[in-house]
Amino acid sequence: MGMMENSATIMAPLLLRNTVKSVLIYADKSLLNFAGKYKLLEIIRYLIVTSFLFFLRLFLSFFPSNYLHSLKSDDGYTFKPTQSSYITDSGIGDSGIGRSLWQLLVSVNDIPVSSTKYRIVRSLAERLIEGNNREDVEALREVNRRVLSAAFSRTICRVEAALIEMGTGTGQSRLDRVFRTVWDGVWSGRVREDVSSRLGNSAEKLAAELLWLTQKLVGCGFEEEAVERWVSASNLAQLSVVAENRVQGSLVKVSGLEETEGGNKERLRQTKMKMLITWLPLLCRGNNGTDIPVLSLSERAELEKILEDAIDMLQHEEQEQVLSLWLHHFTYCPSSDWPNLHASYARWCTTSRKLFFSSIKDVK
């Protein structure tokens, strides 16, 4: 009984926040339609919003810190996945060497890059990965595969969380951002961990670590694992299009992943199609990063060749879909003139013309 009462008390501020926020934003949108025409309504709207935010801070100050500590953002995202879920799902906990490597990779995410401990822990992780790989024992290779794959997925989630925390995205109204800022301000003043610490310092740092993990997966011969997870990161792909340039820089390089041909050709074609649809917008819009330019001339040429080869593997209708997407982002992004897929587009046009002539002859 006591547990139920405690749970109800804990949920009260969160329920209040969601209910009142929805009502306020709906009312604000309604007033906003008329505020531009009537000065008095604009003043009333300002007074309502200001008064509400003041009383919100006052109301939340009455709740004990331990209750607010139990609250998490309910915007559809869990900021810090529990280690146990990754260990359980991937079988990492089956061996001490696996658990040790996992702990090191988690620590790399969590330690600020400015700390002297960061290089030490990252160096220990690299030595452990290379040592397992060097032994040429299948069981140790499997440890590397499982741990690196789980760490790769975890880091993707943390980059997404960092971008959301920074306000990246297009669906957030100005009032919604103000509301969340006030709520977070109250929370942070009472119980919230420092954002930079909780999210490993910054999205830029985490994106760089994602690139580092990609290199480790490829170095151990697990390109397929990396590609499989990267093509599924559609949420991150959407966020990255409007992310800071430094974040885009690392993600553009990760998007240069190329799966080794062989095996099921149909599955490989579907994977390449998904990779192009998911990450082509970022490739067109990502320009400057931590290193300027993001890619050297030779790297650009190499990645363009990878993209052209991937497009050539697709069916004609799929090529049209990919090239239409490329043309849209390539045309409407004035800050970048890459990737230049003109040759692929010209080949598709030639094939389409031949198919058109063939269809006319069949009709006749």
Side-chain angles (χ1 to χ4, degrees), residues 187-203:
W187 188 7
S188 63
R190 302 292 297 276
V191 296
R192 193 182 182 197
E193 297 177 45
D194 182 74
V195 170
S196 64
S197 174
R198 185 185 65 186
L199 295 178
N201 251 2
S202 69

Side-chain angles (χ1 to χ4, degrees), residues 35 38-45:
Y38 305 102
K39 188 68 175 179
L40 179 60
L41 285 177
E42 185 175 353
I43 296 173
I44 292 173
R45 171 177 173 266

Side-chain angles (χ1 to χ4, degrees), residues 204 211 245-246 249-250 253 287-295:
E204 180 186 357
L211 176 60
N245 291 336
R246 291 187 177 90
S250 295
K253 292 179 180 179
N287 41 24
N288 293 328
T290 306
D291 302 316
I292 300 176
V294 171
L295 299 174

Side-chain angles (χ1 to χ4, degrees), residues 111-335:
I111 298 173
V113 72
S114 58
S115 171
T116 55
K117 300 175 185 178
Y118 181 79
R119 290 188 179 183
I120 295 174
V121 173
R122 182 160 157 167
S123 175
L124 285 172
E126 288 181 334
R127 286 163 60 184
L128 193 52
I129 293 168
E130 292 168 2
N132 289 347
N133 203 42
R134 192 164 49 245
E135 291 294 333
D136 199 24
V137 175
E138 186 58 32
L140 286 175
R141 283 178 49 80
E142 181 64 12
V143 167
N144 275 357
R145 185 190 68 79
R146 290 186 177 187
V147 178
L148 285 170
S149 297
F152 188 79
S153 296
R154 180 181 187 270
T155 305
I156 287 176
C157 291
R158 288 176 66 82
V159 176
E160 288 178 9
L163 291 176
I164 293 171
E165 187 72 23
M166 292 164 59
T168 299
T170 57
Q172 199 176 34
S173 69
R174 183 176 181 274
L175 179 59
D176 198 9
R177 290 195 297 271
V178 171
F179 189 100
R180 182 169 179 175
T181 299
V182 173
W183 174 271
D184 287 349
V186 175
W187 188 7
S188 63
R190 302 292 297 276
V191 296
R192 193 182 182 197
E193 297 177 45
D194 182 74
V195 170
S196 64
S197 174
R198 185 185 65 186
L199 295 178
N201 251 2
S202 69
E204 180 186 357
K205 169 187 177 289
L206 291 165
E209 287 165 1
L210 195 58
L211 176 60
W212 174 69
L213 287 168
T214 302
Q215 294 167 345
K216 294 304 171 186
L217 279 164
V218 173
C220 292
F222 305 130
E223 296 93 337
E224 186 174 332
E225 291 284 338
V227 169
E228 180 181 343
R229 283 161 174 75
W230 194 241
V231 299
S232 301
S234 56
N235 289 338
L236 178 57
Q238 293 174 14
L239 291 167
S240 66
V241 172
V242 290
E244 292 182 352
N245 291 336
R246 291 187 177 90
V247 177
Q248 290 181 337
S250 295
L251 301 184
V252 164
K253 292 179 180 179
V254 176
S255 299
L257 276 169
E258 184 179 19
E259 187 175 357
T260 305
E261 294 189 19
N264 189 324
K265 289 189 175 182
E266 177 63 19
R267 188 197 65 80
L268 182 61
R269 181 187 63 77
Q270 292 175 358
T271 299
K272 289 186 179 296
M273 175 65 178
K274 194 172 181 180
M275 175 75 90
L276 289 166
I277 292 295
T278 302
W279 290 104
L280 197 53
L282 172 63
L283 295 181
C284 292
R285 293 176 179 271
N287 41 24
N288 293 328
T290 306
D291 302 316
I292 300 176
V294 171
L295 299 174
S296 65
L297 291 176
S298 60
E299 288 173 330
R300 288 188 174 203
E302 181 181 356
L303 188 46
E304 280 183 354
K305 181 65 166 60
I306 291 173
L307 293 174
E308 289 178 350
D309 290 344
I311 292 172
D312 288 342
M313 286 189 64
L314 304 180
Q315 297 175 355
H316 187 73
E317 294 79 8
E318 292 172 336
Q319 289 183 7
E320 180 181 2
Q321 186 178 351
V322 169
L323 290 169
S324 176
L325 181 68
W326 163 75
L327 187 61
H328 170 76
H329 289 281
F330 184 79
T331 303
Y332 290 100
C333 185
S335 59

